Amino acid sequence: MTPELLRRAAVLEFARALVEAAHNRAVHGRDSAHTEQSLISLVLSLQAAVLAGVESPLTLQFSEDRIYHDGAPLLEPSLQAGSLLRELTTREVAALSFLQEFTSEEASRLLDLLLLDQNRMALSRQHRDRALMALGIRNVRVTLRTPADPSN
């Protein structure tokens, strides 16, 4: 396998792990063993991507029905991905950029912001930086769909 194919496979695995973690969180809840394992898998897949040569931060872009990396679609539409993509669309999230220091604890708190109804406005431009800081999410950058988002 060429280095480029290895990097692409690693990014695809990370995207799948993100979808699986969000799905397990939604279905099984925060403290489930399924959820905890999927959060660990998410972090390990990010580390594997970095080891494969994927640039950090690893950035995933989102449309209403697809996940992309560097403008190329990664996953075919699925029920699990669709659920996460709906939440991201509701929150106007265009992209998430993950630094290699991202932890499973941060992943859990990020999913709080992305999935819980009471946090629907937490990532809006006026609240995003405070919400991320308050929850100790330091290794994820959130880019919104709104024009002239200063995080770009």
Side-chain angles (χ1 to χ4, degrees), residues 70-84:
D70 286 344
L74 292 176
L75 297 173
E76 294 299 317
S78 69
L79 292 175
Q80 292 86 357
S83 178
L84 174 61

Side-chain angles (χ1 to χ4, degrees), residues 100-119:
Q100 66 187 57
E101 297 82 9
F102 184 59
T103 67
S104 60
E105 293 81 11
E106 282 179 289
S108 181
R109 294 187 299 265
L110 177 65
L111 291 177
D112 284 343
L113 289 177
L114 298 179
L115 301 177
L116 298 178
D117 285 341
Q118 65 262 34
N119 292 329

